[in-house]
Amino acid sequence: KEGRKAGEERMRKEQLERVESLKMKNERAEEEAAAKRKAEVEEIEQARKQLEEEKRLMQEQASKANKELEEEYKRKAKEQARKELEDERKAEELRLQTDKRR
């Protein structure tokens, strides 16, 4: 009778140890999964920030390029207007010289 009781007690103890071991393994697995999820979220957040920064830089470059084009257009328009005025002035001088000869 004592031998059977001791055997049952040993079996209960072993079973408790297995349950505790499984609990510990489960907890570690949950912690690892949580850490992995956290790392993935951080990685995604970092990628999102990088994309936003790239987008901002591209918009900045496009804005700068547009401004430069606009300045170039204005400069050329001014130059064209200046040339037209100069041509008109020369044409007027020629007309006056032609009128004086008559």
Side-chain angles (χ1 to χ4, degrees):
K1 205 171 185 178
E2 286 295 316
R4 191 170 55 155
K5 221 176 187 182
E8 287 174 359
E9 186 62 34
R10 192 175 61 244
M11 282 179 61
R12 254 195 312 276
K13 201 173 183 181
E14 288 172 358
Q15 196 173 14
L16 277 175
E17 286 173 1
R18 282 196 300 273
V19 167
E20 280 302 311
S21 174
L22 287 173
K23 278 184 182 177
M24 295 287 283
K25 282 183 181 177
N26 192 31
E27 284 176 15
R28 274 197 307 273
E30 286 176 0
E31 287 170 0
E32 288 172 6
K36 188 176 178 183
R37 280 192 302 276
K38 183 180 179 188
E40 288 171 349
V41 166
E42 287 174 356
E43 187 179 336
I44 290 168
E45 184 63 21
Q46 198 61 35
R48 185 189 62 75
K49 284 181 182 178
Q50 186 177 346
L51 284 174
E52 282 180 0
E53 179 62 13
E54 288 173 9
K55 178 183 173 185
R56 187 191 65 75
L57 287 173
M58 287 175 69
Q59 287 174 337
E60 207 173 86
Q61 288 174 339
S63 178
K64 186 178 177 184
N66 283 340
K67 209 172 211 173
E68 288 172 0
L69 284 173
E70 197 174 316
E71 294 296 320
E72 180 71 11
Y73 175 78
K74 285 178 183 177
R75 190 186 60 72
K76 286 184 176 180
K78 264 186 182 175
E79 183 65 24
Q80 182 65 31
R82 190 193 61 72
K83 280 183 180 176
E84 287 173 7
L85 280 173
E86 184 66 22
D87 290 348
E88 284 178 25
R89 188 187 62 75
K90 285 181 181 176
E92 185 63 27
E93 278 181 18
L94 279 174
R95 227 181 352 268
L96 286 173
Q97 286 176 4
T98 306
D99 286 351
K100 283 182 182 175
R101 287 186 191 147
R102 288 185 187 167

